[in-house]
């Protein structure tokens, strides 16, 4: 009985964590898209280097902070991509 309760609580915490991660990624991506016309190259570089650095850091130190930083840098990178894809067609 205790094992079943533990599994349900773990699943609920995982769903809550997953939801927070998606919201954090979405908010970061939208903010990056809104700021991208001015800072698209800086966002691309910051997002790429930050994603690599936090990925390496998270390999050795698994924590919520490392996961959140990885999600933020992924959002920055994803927010700069629409402008980079559209740039050849409008220049």
């Amino acid at each position: 009985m205790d094992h079943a309760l533990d599994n349900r609580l773990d699943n609920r915490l995982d769903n809550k964590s997953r939801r927070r991660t998606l919201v954090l990624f979405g908010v970061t991506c939208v903010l990056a898209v809104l700021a991208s016309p001015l800072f698209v190259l800086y966002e691309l570089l910051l997002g790429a280097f930050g994603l690599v650095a936090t990925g390496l850091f998270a390999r050795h130190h698994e924590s919520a902070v490392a996961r959140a930083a990885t999600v933020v840098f992924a959002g920055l990178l994803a927010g700069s991509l629409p402008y980079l894809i559209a740039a050849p067609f409008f220049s």
Side-chain angles (χ1 to χ4, degrees):
M1 183 82 163
D2 290 331
H3 184 65
L5 180 62
D6 286 341
N7 286 340
R8 278 187 274 155
L9 287 175
D10 286 343
N11 191 21
R12 188 170 21 164
L13 291 175
D14 288 341
N15 288 336
K16 192 177 197 181
S17 173
R18 189 177 307 129
R19 221 174 311 139
R20 285 183 184 163
T21 302
L22 286 174
V23 168
L24 181 62
F25 178 78
V27 168
T28 306
C29 189
V30 167
L31 289 175
V33 167
L34 293 175
S36 280
L38 301 174
F39 305 111
V40 67
L41 292 178
Y42 297 116
E43 287 179 4
L44 176 73
L45 292 174
L46 182 65
F49 288 128
L51 192 59
V52 169
T54 56
L56 291 174
F57 180 76
R59 264 182 134 176
H60 300 291
H61 305 286
E62 183 63 35
S63 68
V65 174
R67 187 173 38 248
T70 303
V71 169
V72 167
F73 286 120
L76 277 174
L77 185 62
S80 68
L81 291 180
Y83 292 102
L84 292 174
I85 292 170
F89 301 110
F90 295 106
S91 62

